[in-house]
Amino acid sequence: MKNDTELQQFLEKITAFANKTGIAYRTGDIYGGLAGFWDFGPIGVEIKNRIKDAWWTDFVRNRDDIVGYEGAIITHPKVWEASGHLSSFTDPLIFCEGKCKKKHRLDHLIEDHLNIKTEDLSLEEMGELVNQKKLLCTDCGGVLGKPITFNLMFNTQVGPVKDTSSIAYLRPENAQLIFSGFRNVIDSTRLKMPFGIAQSGIVFRNEISPRNFLFRVREYELMEFEYFTNPEKINDCPDFDTVSQINVNIYSREEQTPKFTSEYLTMNIQEAWEKKIFKNKWQAYWLAICNNWFTQKLGIDEKKLRLRQHQKEELSHYALDTWDIEYNYLFGWKELLGCANRTQFDLEQHHNLSKHKMEFSETDEKGVKRYIPYVVAEPSVGLGRILLTVLADGYQEETVRNRKRVVLKIHPRIAPFDVAVFPLQKKPQIIEIANRIFVTLREEGFTVKYDDSGSIGKRYRRHDEIGTPFCITVDFESIEDNYVTVRERDSMNQTRLRIENLIQELRNLQKKFTK
Ligand code: ATP
């Protein structure tokens, strides 16, 4: 982890970069911004949509065992009573009693300023630590008050009459919509166990201290799915062989003790399973798939990812075992994706409170069996957090022939444009060819940017910065020989290619991409 100044400088740099390139801006910027809320600009929207589309394609559209769902944002209050969020979706909060009166998230304050892990500590123990260590407000140096718990759910009033019966909540997770809609899904489909239900959508969390740019915000898009099995078959994972040789970096509970000095142990999933590091085979399977998705499909550096098991005291009220896929950000190893084993907890809660049967029926040679399905894994990840991660992972400053260039080395699959087309000059014959290439590539499904302003060098730099992986330049020779120059963003290699082969050549280059 960098020191506070270096970290601050990096965050300022990446935020300014995001602003300048049209990735993200503070919401209501002209009025000073609103903490924890961000708007996405023209480039940010493209990258975000492509990440989301990649997720939906790989985890829903291209799988036979996962279906989609889209629940309402404002949710029936009983849903949150059953799920336990009304009583347990809380974070520890402490107020500054000095000049600034700032509210701090207590666990983060202790971790960042006393360098003590808080997973095992109760609210009272954290309060005692503040007194013992004489921890003061980090903003004004004032004395800190008594810690309290704070519920993170935003609420609103539904309808014209404002009273307690009209209170409803903005969902803090998608999962509960999937659980409360479970009966409807199984009644209206012909799903066979095991299966998953996925949802991507905006959630709201009234975070005490939003920070680190897109890392901790109050409104974000969450992509998650619940994977259900028969409770007696949580280790029947027929596809396990397809992931068994995938290498992952593991940081289990045992490794999170002082005698282990390394940040993780690398092994394949088969080895980890044999060492009994995971509690159920499906959870191991999904962690391998998700880790692989980040490295192979989004191009994130595998050395900067690890699977960290939650400490017992850290587990959410619904989870039997949870693993996070963490990324090594400049502010340390932090959660990128969470994957909880939620057992039968949520469906049982809705079964009991709603009086609607949340059972699944299966017929075998012995007859009909009914059971409440078991959630072996819930891979859950914030879209903005992925965006921040690919920015942090791909942002590079390089010096090329004594000139500085900023380049965003992101996977072509999630780049804002597949390719940019530049006419070298505004000569009619050159423009005619550049236009023809532009239209043909679009018709073939490429996202293309036509760019004819400024010198070629400036155009390259503009596209390096936003991560466009390939640029095509049409020049005078193209008129004669039907060849154009294709320049690759990362290597800056330039190759002359025949116009009629461009589509195939670009597809090959996209497939070949490695970081
Ligand atoms: P934390 O303990 O850090 O507050 P959490 O463990 O409650 O977070 P989860 O419920 O596991 O978070 O959230 C699922 C995913 O949603 C996370 O892995 C992360 O990608 C994303 N996420 C969670 N909180 C935020 C936030 N405030 N801003 C942006 N993304 C978030």
Side-chain angles (χ1 to χ4, degrees):
M1 187 154 104
K2 299 270 179 193
N3 66 37
D4 280 0
T5 323
E6 279 173 320
L7 174 60
Q8 206 44 45
Q9 280 168 353
F10 176 77
L11 286 170
E12 277 166 21
K13 187 190 275 188
I14 202 93
T15 312
F17 167 75
N19 249 262
K20 173 177 171 250
T21 47
I23 292 175
Y25 322 104
R26 293 190 304 172
T27 197
D29 208 13
I30 53 170
Y31 299 106
L34 188 60
F37 298 91
W38 292 83
D39 291 349
F40 295 93
I43 299 301
V45 168
E46 293 300 334
I47 303 179
K48 221 158 68 82
N49 283 344
R50 295 195 92 176
I51 298 172
K52 186 166 139 182
D53 192 56
W55 182 82
W56 193 262
T57 301
D58 294 338
F59 289 99
V60 187
R61 211 174 282 142
N62 285 352
R63 291 200 59 115
D64 297 325
D65 56 346
I66 301 193
V67 293
Y69 195 79
E70 201 167 305
I73 285 177
I74 295 178
T75 321
H76 198 295
K78 285 277 182 199
V79 168
W80 306 112
E81 185 184 325
S83 70
H85 279 75
L86 278 179
S87 54
S88 306
F89 194 58
T90 56
D91 276 336
L93 168 68
I94 198 160
F95 284 90
C96 166
E97 290 183 341
K99 257 198 254 140
C100 75
K101 311 282 178 230
K102 186 172 169 177
K103 304 170 199 76
H104 297 274
R105 183 155 159 192
L106 183 53
D107 50 343
H108 291 168
L109 200 66
I110 293 174
E111 286 182 7
D112 294 349
H113 297 278
L114 298 180
N115 213 6
I116 296 174
K117 290 264 169 231
T118 55
E119 286 106 22
D120 308 349
L121 303 179
S122 66
L123 187 72
E124 290 68 33
E125 286 166 333
M126 282 193 263
E128 275 164 31
L129 260 181
V130 169
N131 292 335
Q132 267 171 25
K133 305 275 179 191
K134 303 201 181 355
L135 185 62
L136 298 172
C137 172
T138 47
D139 275 35
C140 74
V143 173
L144 296 168
K146 211 170 159 339
I148 54 168
T149 51
F150 172 74
N151 193 298
L152 300 185
M153 279 201 292
F154 280 99
N155 63 30
T156 186
Q157 304 278 148
V158 175
V161 181
K162 292 196 171 175
D163 61 21
T164 48
S165 69
S166 64
I167 290 181
Y169 297 90
L170 275 65
R171 61 183 187 209
E173 62 170 25
N174 295 323
Q176 287 316 316
L177 281 298
I178 295 173
F179 293 127
S180 55
F182 183 78
R183 183 76 258 158
N184 288 335
V185 175
I186 54 173
D187 286 347
S188 56
T189 54
R190 290 151 52 81
L191 288 164
K192 288 204 182 82
M193 281 291 168
F195 65 83
I197 305 179
Q199 175 164 357
S200 174
I202 303 283
V203 298
F204 301 84
R205 297 181 180 189
N206 201 358
E207 295 282 355
I208 296 167
S209 330
R211 62 186 173 158
N212 293 344
F213 185 34
L214 300 175
F215 184 81
R216 188 165 297 286
V217 295
R218 289 175 166 145
E219 172 186 331
Y220 68 96
E221 191 148 355
L222 184 60
M223 308 190 295
E224 59 187 359
F225 61 90
E226 307 304 314
Y227 203 79
F228 300 97
T229 67
N230 178 329
E232 287 170 11
K233 297 185 181 171
I234 61 172
N235 290 322
D236 284 9
C237 178
D239 292 339
F240 193 77
D241 283 353
T242 61
V243 302
S244 60
Q245 298 312 306
I246 291 179
N247 273 335
V248 286
N249 302 323
I250 293 188
Y251 196 49
S252 66
R253 258 179 226 153
E254 286 66 44
E255 281 134 34
Q256 295 166 48
T257 50
K259 66 178 178 180
F260 282 87
T261 47
S262 60
E263 294 189 309
Y264 51 70
L265 293 176
T266 305
M267 64 186 91
N268 68 37
I269 285 287
Q270 178 68 32
E271 239 182 299
W273 176 248
E274 282 163 11
K275 287 188 172 150
K276 301 194 183 349
I277 288 175
F278 298 108
K279 283 203 174 60
N280 80 65
K281 228 174 182 176
W282 272 112
Q283 197 176 16
Y285 167 86
W286 280 116
L287 282 164
I289 293 270
C290 293
N291 197 76
N292 216 38
W293 190 71
F294 288 131
T295 60
Q296 304 305 308
K297 300 293 180 78
L298 301 193
I300 296 173
D301 185 353
E302 61 187 32
K303 292 187 293 305
K304 289 192 171 174
L305 291 173
R306 71 177 180 192
L307 313 185
R308 185 184 74 83
Q309 186 176 25
H310 279 206
Q311 296 290 345
K312 284 211 178 82
E313 299 70 13
E314 196 188 343
L315 288 170
S316 308
H317 60 279
Y318 50 73
L320 180 68
D321 190 21
T322 297
W323 286 78
D324 289 342
I325 297 185
E326 293 189 330
Y327 180 81
N328 193 5
Y329 299 93
L330 272 188
F331 39 93
W333 287 98
K334 298 278 177 212
E335 173 178 350
L336 166 60
L337 171 148
C339 181
N341 167 351
R342 292 181 83 128
T343 70
Q344 292 159 294
F345 177 86
D346 301 270
L347 285 181
E348 268 173 356
Q349 291 289 104
H350 291 297
H351 180 92
N352 294 334
L353 193 71
S354 71
K355 309 281 178 244
H356 282 265
K357 286 196 165 60
M358 293 292 162
E359 291 165 335
F360 189 79
S361 310
E362 257 176 352
T363 312
D364 61 16
E365 56 294 347
K366 290 188 201 136
V368 179
K369 256 200 179 158
R370 288 194 181 81
Y371 57 83
I372 293 189
Y374 187 109
V375 174
V376 276
E378 177 208 46
S380 171
V381 60
L383 182 52
R385 208 172 272 190
I386 300 183
L387 175 60
L388 172 67
T389 311
V390 295
L391 292 182
D393 206 63
Y395 178 92
Q396 283 183 25
E397 289 173 6
E398 295 176 349
T399 307
V400 183
R401 288 187 287 279
N402 293 329
R403 295 188 65 174
K404 210 179 101 181
R405 80 161 182 156
V406 170
V407 55
L408 193 57
K409 294 189 174 173
I410 55 175
H411 197 289
R413 193 182 191 203
I414 53 168
F417 304 108
D418 291 320
V419 53
V421 177
F422 308 155
L424 180 69
Q425 283 199 358
K426 289 182 178 158
K427 290 265 181 291
Q429 286 149 302
I430 293 182
I431 288 175
E432 199 271 321
I433 299 173
N435 260 325
R436 192 155 30 90
I437 294 173
F438 171 71
V439 170
T440 312
L441 288 175
R442 263 204 181 161
E443 280 170 1
E444 285 296 318
F446 289 88
T447 53
V448 198
K449 182 78 184 163
Y450 187 90
D451 192 345
D452 61 1
S453 67
S455 69
I456 289 291
K458 276 208 179 112
R459 285 183 246 175
Y460 281 152
R461 278 197 293 285
R462 202 153 49 224
H463 283 275
D464 284 345
E465 264 190 0
I466 58 169
T468 309
F470 310 106
C471 295
I472 297 172
T473 302
V474 182
D475 55 25
F476 289 103
E477 282 173 44
S478 312
I479 304 168
E480 303 298 323
D481 65 5
N482 276 323
Y483 275 75
V484 286
T485 303
V486 176
R487 184 234 194 213
E488 294 177 46
R489 176 196 67 201
D490 299 353
S491 63
M492 294 190 295
N493 280 345
Q494 300 195 6
T495 325
R496 295 289 286 178
L497 294 175
R498 267 189 90 76
I499 295 175
E500 65 190 55
N501 297 339
L502 265 181
I503 291 165
Q504 198 47 48
E505 297 278 5
L506 284 172
R507 293 217 164 108
N508 293 343
L509 285 170
Q510 284 176 326
K511 278 202 199 117
K512 242 177 42 195
F513 176 85
T514 47
K515 237 175 161 182

